[in-house]
Amino acid sequence: MSELEQLSMLIGGRPTGAISGRTFSSENPYTGQAWAEIPDGGTEDVDAAVGAARAALDGEWGQMTGFARAARLRRLAELIGENAERLARLEVNDSGKLYREMLGQLQGLGGWYHYYAGLADKIEGAQIPSPNPNYLVYTRREPVGVVAAITPWNSPLLLMSWKVAPALAAGCTVVIKPSEHAPGSTLGFAELISQAGIPDGVVNVVTSSTGAAGAHLAAHEGVDKVAFTGSTATGRKVAAAAAEKLHPATLELGGKSPQVVFPDADLQAAANGLVAGVFAATGQTCMAGSRLVVHEDVHDELVRLVAERASQIKLGDPFGADTEMGPVANKMQYEKVVGYLSTARDEGATVAYGGVADEGLGGYFVQPTVLSVKPTDTVFREEVFGPVLAAVTFTDEDDAIKLANDTPYGLAGAVWTKDVHRAHRVAAKIKAGSVWINAYRVVAPSVPFGGFGDSGIGRENGVHGIDAYLETKAVWVELTGGTRDPFTLG
């Protein structure tokens, strides 16, 4: 076995191991072998990181202008681009996602830092008309403080950046706790912080093999805000911990997103959107369009098209130039997906393609799967987080909307139709934070993203994203010097 890559946490500007000296190994889901040795931080490391973030907030960073913060964010964006190949390799080794997909994503990731650099020097208050002419009243926008950023294993650097870029633009400091299943690329990112001229302690990263460090961070007295992306079940625990301390929380949680296809849709385009929505990234994305709600007249043809493309998807080495789908990211998730496929068969699902693990490749591979099911089937109602599409039919527009909204989630959705009136009408009625029309799985730094219901609280990206890291202070200025004793008459 080759020598493991050694990666370090970042606390107070210093690359470091865990105070305890413990480490854990990160496993490559394609080879099944450990590839990196990661510091196994504990509550004492979290305490140190929060302390460093608090000191940085009260120090140079807290005195820095928005113009100066913007310059550092732009340099960080450049460094991410310059190191895109290394960061992409770290993420592929951890998650099994395709190298070419991750390289493209990392080459474009600097866009988030450039976008928020453009807002850092435009954080403005306002003068407010006063009912009393003796007063000048204005507002200040101030950083919320120390931010706990708790990130998932499926897109670590992208979803981390949705938090870190606006937080830094706002003048906050951050403590990042990546998932124990994919910490490598976040530690690689941490190596760039000082090179960007960002002061020590502004960005800190703590890794851990268990959830204890993340739970301690979410409930920490020294934290002012929590930003979390992950499962709905864990999100509830994070929200409860934050609420106990009255810390605001942004939660981007699970999804079970519908793609509604009407009979007039371009079926080949819809098939392409379905493939992109549920098979790209091996279906391991919160916005996966995994519920196909299709008109009964075109169900058979559309399912045939998607199944035909699914049968051609090349599974294999994520670093392979011709590989189209990699493995599921870890053993725990692999077993979960395989369990859902077993349940689907037990509940009578019709398998158009796939439906089983692919054990011939080694690693945690599952075949891209296309199922026709009942609206009550488990695989149609619960988040699988794997390459599994479940299709049901509808008869008319009202039926389609009812099926699309028959879920506690509300993260994303799509409408496929050539009828412009119907497209906007149905998009307005789908209860979700993002709805695409004749497209799927497109995001941008400037466009807010987040969910309704069990899909979370708050929005990331866009101007909404920086607002989440700012507090508003009202300032009253008495202009005449004519204040009086309130207990004296006259």
Side-chain angles (χ1 to χ4, degrees):
M1 184 178 69
S2 60
E3 186 175 344
L4 299 184
E5 185 158 352
Q6 304 295 311
L7 296 170
S8 298
M9 301 190 300
L10 181 69
I11 298 177
R14 185 171 64 89
T16 183
I19 291 173
S20 67
R22 293 191 299 267
T23 63
F24 67 101
S25 298
S26 186
E27 181 186 2
N28 183 315
Y30 174 63
T31 66
Q33 300 296 314
W35 70 275
E37 190 169 50
I38 309 294
D40 194 0
T43 58
E44 64 275 19
D45 299 284
V46 171
D47 292 342
V50 172
R54 178 63 59 190
L57 188 69
D58 295 335
E60 178 187 358
W61 186 251
Q63 303 304 312
M64 196 175 286
T65 67
F67 293 91
R69 294 197 303 274
R72 285 152 178 80
L73 283 169
R74 292 189 179 99
R75 179 57 185 143
L76 182 56
E78 293 169 355
L79 287 165
I80 291 170
E82 292 168 10
N83 291 272
E85 290 186 8
R86 167 168 162 73
L87 294 174
R89 288 184 177 279
L90 292 173
E91 197 143 310
V92 172
N93 284 337
D94 258 343
S95 69
K97 296 177 83 168
L98 300 188
Y99 175 71
R100 68 170 182 271
E101 177 186 351
M102 294 316 306
L103 181 60
Q105 186 180 106
L106 269 297
Q107 288 171 335
L109 189 65
W112 267 262
Y113 296 88
H114 280 299
Y115 176 81
Y116 283 106
L119 291 178
D121 55 13
K122 300 172 185 67
I123 298 171
E124 300 175 343
Q127 182 180 337
I128 299 173
S130 170
N132 187 327
N134 291 349
Y135 284 91
L136 167 69
V137 183
Y138 63 92
T139 58
R140 290 172 50 88
R141 306 300 306 283
E142 299 181 353
V144 69
V146 176
V147 175
I150 303 173
T151 57
W153 48 260
N154 59 313
S155 292
L157 287 184
L158 177 65
L159 298 176
M160 179 207 72
S161 295
W162 289 13
K163 299 159 182 56
V164 170
L168 296 183
C172 297
T173 57
V174 295
V175 178
I176 306 165
K177 165 57 178 70
S179 167
E180 62 271 25
H181 295 295
S185 59
T186 304
L187 296 177
F189 167 85
E191 297 168 1
L192 308 179
I193 296 301
S194 64
Q195 298 178 48
I198 295 172
D200 293 351
V202 172
V203 177
N204 306 271
V205 181
V206 177
T207 51
S208 176
S209 64
T210 71
H216 185 61
L217 178 61
H220 203 287
E221 291 281 1
V223 164
D224 299 298
K225 176 184 170 62
V226 179
F228 171 82
T229 298
S231 72
T232 298
T234 304
R236 293 184 194 280
K237 296 176 182 177
V238 170
E244 181 67 25
K245 306 297 184 193
L246 295 181
H247 296 157
T250 300
L251 306 172
E252 198 271 279
L253 308 178
K256 192 65 179 175
S257 301
Q259 298 209 52
V260 181
V261 182
F262 287 93
D264 67 330
D266 180 331
L267 293 187
Q268 186 58 64
N272 291 340
L274 288 159
V275 169
V278 76
F279 298 140
T282 319
Q284 298 168 122
T285 169
C286 55
M287 68 185 86
S290 57
R291 288 195 303 146
L292 169 57
V293 180
V294 56
H295 192 275
E296 58 188 3
D297 290 350
V298 294
H299 167 275
D300 291 354
E301 176 63 10
L302 183 57
V303 167
R304 183 191 68 78
L305 287 171
V306 178
E308 183 177 278
R309 182 65 184 94
S311 70
Q312 298 166 356
I313 292 175
K314 178 174 174 54
L315 280 63
D317 183 350
F319 286 103
D322 58 348
T323 300
E324 295 178 309
M325 199 174 90
V328 174
N330 54 71
K331 183 179 181 181
M332 173 192 70
Q333 187 60 28
Y334 169 81
E335 291 175 346
K336 178 182 174 183
V337 174
V338 171
Y340 272 115
L341 295 177
S342 177
T343 298
R345 290 192 297 272
D346 292 343
E347 292 179 348
T350 299
V351 180
Y353 185 77
V356 294
D358 194 321
E359 299 177 350
L361 295 169
Y364 302 128
F365 284 93
V366 175
Q367 290 184 354
T369 295
V370 183
L371 306 172
S372 290
V373 300
K374 304 180 294 296
T376 55
D377 283 4
T378 303
V379 75
F380 188 73
R381 303 196 61 80
E382 297 184 10
E383 185 178 36
V384 176
F385 221 68
V388 181
L389 179 68
V392 301
T393 59
F394 69 87
T395 55
D396 58 31
E397 186 175 307
D398 288 342
D399 187 28
I401 293 167
K402 181 180 178 181
L403 285 165
N405 290 334
D406 185 22
T407 173
Y409 297 106
L411 190 59
V415 182
W416 296 88
T417 178
K418 295 177 182 177
D419 184 333
V420 65
H421 306 291
R422 177 161 57 197
H424 291 286
R425 189 169 62 239
V426 175
K429 292 182 179 179
I430 291 178
K431 297 176 181 177
S434 296
V435 179
W436 295 276
I437 295 175
N438 295 328
Y440 204 82
R441 200 170 172 253
V442 183
V443 296
S446 55
V447 181
F449 186 87
F452 299 176
D454 282 7
S455 289
I457 299 171
R459 293 294 180 270
E460 296 185 306
N461 299 337
V463 175
H464 297 74
I466 198 168
D467 283 344
Y469 297 94
L470 292 166
E471 297 277 22
T472 300
K473 177 187 289 182
V475 180
W476 294 70
V477 183
E478 207 285 326
L479 298 174
T480 68
T483 56
R484 62 178 179 82
D485 184 338
F487 300 107
T488 301
L489 297 177

